[in-house]
Amino acid sequence: MDFSTVAQDVINGYELSKAEALSILQTDNGKILELVNAAYLIRHHYYQNKVKLNLIINAKSGLCPEDCGYCAQSFRADTEIDTYPIVSKQTIVEGAREAKRKKIGTYCIVMSGRRPTHREVNIVTDSVKEIKDEMDNIKICACLGLVNNEQAALLKTAGVDRFNHNINTSKEHHEQITTTHTYDDRIDTLQAVKQAGISPCSGVICGMGETLEDIVDMAFSLKELNVDSIPVNFLHPIKGTKLENLNELTPIKCLKILSLFRFVNPTKEIRISGGREYNLGTLQSLGLYIANSIFVGDYLTTRGQEATEDYKMIEDLGFEIEDNPFETDAKQFHAHC
């Protein structure tokens, strides 16, 4: 495959077949720079050299009844993590203030658990209302587990801009990762969010024993769902979880995976998410030639690198932090209507 030619075709509206997508994952390692450069052509066309920053607050930790094999917060995991119920409105709002100080475009309110209670939804909505009243140009993403139409409508009314609920893996591989909810349960939540008028965010975790074909299926499933933001996580195996002994990823494989998602979903925000530092290592900067978004700071139960290192990486690349995510999203929307 002539990657640069195909990249230009994609910019002009061409849609890859699954066979072509699979060939990206099978690229010879010696051609990785050619692949990254081609993915960058697509990234630059839609996002120039802007980098969107995201920050997580772990608003409720552990105590989760689900059996997801990758997760330190699952009741099946034998891990030493902080566990606590939902934090106060004041804590959530102060987290947004910190995000604003750090030039964060999207502030992500994340809770463990199968689905939020009525009380938890109220705390989140009250927090979001206060944040929106106080701060301009900060986007709020909620990640609260499974939600229904009524809960999604409440979140929309409060001012939630985006809702994250990852598909995590392919439909074929889903039962190997969790059995306490189905793949379709996740799709139902995304549909409820979309129906409420909230921007849908959904991504994957790679390195969980899936095949290359599974990864291709993930990319095409998200394309079919037409989500706006795709966080690509790379498994950071945690001792005490079901997947603690998996170590299937290399930095170059991660770059191939990111490139696949960019080619298949060219107009979408692609975010390098959990496991970035652990799996990409010294090649993190190459990932930003493909993806246009990263998390800054720590993840839910694993540590990220210092924010100053992320800012330095962006500066060294000659890239710039996206100042106004609302404005950029509007430009993207009008460009593709």
Side-chain angles (χ1 to χ4, degrees), residues 3 49 72 84 149 184 226 233 248 258 262 321 330:
F3 297 124
N49 286 338
Y84 48 83
N149 290 334
D184 288 337
N226 195 28
N233 299 273
E248 299 182 343
L258 288 170
R262 175 57 72 201
I321 296 170

Side-chain angles (χ1 to χ4, degrees), residues 234-254:
F234 300 110
L235 180 68
H236 186 161
I238 299 171
K239 185 177 180 181
T241 63
K242 177 183 175 181
L243 304 183
E244 65 178 355
N245 295 317
L246 278 184
N247 187 22
E248 299 182 343
L249 299 171
T250 65
I252 289 180
K253 183 174 181 179
C254 292

Side-chain angles (χ1 to χ4, degrees), residues 148-269:
N148 57 31
N149 290 334
E150 179 184 358
Q151 292 170 322
L154 290 171
L155 293 167
K156 172 64 176 179
T157 300
V160 170
D161 302 285
R162 183 160 283 172
F163 192 95
N164 167 260
H165 198 63
N166 293 335
I167 60 169
N168 284 335
T169 192
S170 71
K171 188 169 186 175
E172 283 284 319
H173 193 57
H174 186 269
E175 287 188 2
Q176 303 303 312
I177 304 304
T178 183
T179 61
T180 48
H181 60 268
T182 67
Y183 182 90
D184 288 337
D185 287 334
R186 291 184 169 270
I187 301 302
D188 289 345
T189 285
L190 288 170
Q191 298 296 2
V193 167
K194 292 171 74 173
Q195 184 174 331
I198 299 175
S199 171
C201 169
S202 187
V204 300
I205 307 173
C206 295
M208 298 197 298
E210 71 282 345
T211 65
L212 296 183
E213 289 79 7
D214 284 322
I215 298 174
V216 169
D217 285 345
M218 295 178 216
F220 277 84
S221 293
L222 293 171
K223 176 184 177 182
E224 183 178 346
L225 287 165
N226 195 28
V227 297
D228 297 324
S229 178
I230 302 175
V232 180
N233 299 273
F234 300 110
L235 180 68
H236 186 161
I238 299 171
K239 185 177 180 181
T241 63
K242 177 183 175 181
L243 304 183
E244 65 178 355
N245 295 317
L246 278 184
N247 187 22
E248 299 182 343
L249 299 171
T250 65
I252 289 180
K253 183 174 181 179
C254 292
L255 292 174
K256 293 176 186 178
I257 291 169
L258 288 170
S259 296
L260 163 71
F261 277 87
R262 175 57 72 201
F263 271 83
V264 175
N265 297 278
T267 67
K268 305 302 185 180
E269 175 192 339

Side-chain angles (χ1 to χ4, degrees), residues 309-320:
E309 295 183 44
D310 288 327
Y311 297 136
K312 185 66 165 60
M313 177 173 65
I314 293 168
E315 180 183 356
D316 288 349
L317 286 167
F319 289 4
E320 56 184 309

Side-chain angles (χ1 to χ4, degrees), residues 10-29:
V10 167
I11 291 169
N12 291 332
Y14 178 71
E15 297 183 359
L16 262 66
S17 67
K18 285 194 173 184
E20 289 171 318
L22 182 61
S23 72
I24 289 175
L25 297 180
Q26 295 170 331
T27 299
D28 183 270
N29 288 352

Side-chain angles (χ1 to χ4, degrees), residues 84-99:
Y84 48 83
I86 188 169
V87 298
S88 67
K89 179 179 76 169
Q90 291 76 15
T91 300
I92 295 174
V93 173
E94 181 51 41
R97 295 182 183 125
E98 179 65 17

